Amino acid sequence: MTHPDPAAPDLASRTCTPCAAGTAPHDAATADRMLAGLTGWRMSDDARAITRRLEVKGFAKAVELANLAAWLGNRQGHHPDIAFGWGYCAVTFTTHAAGGLTDNDFICAARLDALLA
């Protein structure tokens, strides 16, 4: 298991910044290190996205979680893919402009974790 860099700033306290043209995505090793600081998130096999699936009771709670993730995406200017239905809400972050994971994805994931804590 990897451990986050203790000298790294707290992701949940950071704000997303727009990607400049030509922004490269993180390599898998960097993404894995950043993922280690998050709770319940899984990286895709190709290391281009992270997803957290939240299990809840009923449909209304799933809708509330989807709305919370959408609100966060709007506030940060970094919008997730959201899937939900009875009993679950899955939130996926990736940076489409970079073709993979950037700091923005991990910032938003950490901020969502903080909202759910």
Side-chain angles (χ1 to χ4, degrees), residues 47-101:
R48 294 178 64 180
I50 55 173
T51 300
R52 182 169 179 194
R53 182 181 169 101
L54 300 144
E55 304 290 331
V56 296
K57 293 187 180 200
F59 185 73
K61 185 68 173 173
V63 171
E64 290 172 7
L65 290 172
N67 285 333
L68 180 64
W71 173 84
L72 174 66
N74 278 334
R75 295 273 302 174
Q76 291 296 309
H78 191 69
H79 304 97
D81 293 325
I82 304 167
F84 66 95
W86 195 96
Y88 78 94
C89 178
V91 180
T92 300
F93 284 105
T94 187
T95 302
H96 298 286
L101 292 164

